[in-house]
């Protein structure tokens, strides 16, 4: 966790140097506890997680150092972490939203978990989360929620301009293709953040409202930063944002009835 925290802060500094206002990290950015390592029946079988094995003080110290860096760099930071609850409740699999003042302003908890996560490891969240930075409204999703189009549609109804999706165990290519589809059918930006180990087939990057990749990290397995200007007047966004998204809203509101 300490090494991961150092790497996160190094990438934050790079993002800040390149003029970013907000930086978005993948699921497992600090740690991604293995179901067999935590299992009371492990390491050969999956069972209920023993969260006493987690080094909570180390995790908290790394999160505190990340928040301090966000304040120092004046950089909004969205970082995945395990969020501890009081016993006997299992923790959440979460995204912390840290402001450029170094304050956690909100937290998103994964709602639609994998079978293993909900059976043995985590408590599910209950609601979407949005926050605004420089006139852009962001929404958060994590983990296997890439597979649920209704969650992306929910954020469209909440007038989100960009969804921040953090995931880890992606099937090669499939998750990134789904992310493009979600961006295109909802006409908003999608930040797709995954660990660098998946970069050969699904590197991290940002998708425009028309479904095109605008910038992607290298496909060479190295941790890196992709920087994008979320400009709704750009060629990759203006048609989708100005015409496609409003028309879909109008068509869903019953505009066809009088023409039948």
């Amino acid at each position: 966790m300490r090494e991961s925290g150092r790497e996160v802060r190094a990438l934050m500094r790079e993002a800040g140097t390149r003029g970013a206002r907000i930086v978005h990290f993948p699921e497992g950015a600090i740690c991604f506890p293995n179901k067999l390592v935590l299992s009371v029946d492990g390491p050969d079988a999956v069972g209920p997680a023993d969260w006493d094995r987690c080094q909570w003080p180390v995790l908290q110290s790394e999160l505190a150092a990340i928040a301090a860096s966000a304040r120092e760099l004046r950089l909004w930071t969205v970082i995945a972490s395990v969020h501890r609850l009081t016993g006997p409740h299992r923790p959440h699999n979460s995204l912390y939203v840290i402001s450029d003042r170094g304050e956690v302003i909100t937290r998103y908890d994964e709602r639609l978990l994998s079978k293993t996560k909900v059976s043995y490891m985590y408590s599910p969240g209950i609601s979407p989360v949005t926050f605004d930075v420089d006139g852009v409204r962001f929404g958060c999703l994590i983990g296997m929620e890439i597979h649920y189009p209704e969650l992306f549609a929910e954020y469209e109804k909440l007038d989100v301009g960009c969804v921040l999706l953090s995931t880890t165990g992606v099937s090669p290519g499939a998750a990134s293709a789904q992310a493009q589809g979600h961006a295109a059918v909802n006409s908003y930006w999608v930040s797709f953040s995954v660990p660098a180990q998946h970069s050969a087939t699904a590197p991290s990057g940002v998708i425009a409202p028309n479904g095109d990749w605008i910038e992607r990290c290298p496909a060479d397995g190295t941790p890196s930063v992709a920087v994008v200007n979320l400009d709704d007047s750009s060629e990759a966004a203006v048609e989708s944002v100005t015409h496609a998204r409003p028309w879909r809203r109008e068509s869903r509101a019953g505009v066809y009835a009088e023409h039948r």
Side-chain angles (χ1 to χ4, degrees), residues 103-114:
E103 301 166 345
V104 176
I105 64 160
T106 190
R107 188 191 77 242
Y108 176 73
D109 306 320
E110 186 178 8
R111 292 175 282 168
L112 298 182
L113 303 160
S114 70

Side-chain angles (χ1 to χ4, degrees), residues 16 23 61 64 102 135 144 146 162 190 199 206:
V23 61
S61 67
M144 289 193 66
I146 179 68
C162 179
V190 171
S199 64
V206 179

Side-chain angles (χ1 to χ4, degrees), residues 232-245:
D232 282 348
S233 65
S234 65
E235 183 179 352
V238 66
E239 180 75 18
S240 298
V241 172
T242 304
H243 299 293
R245 187 170 181 178

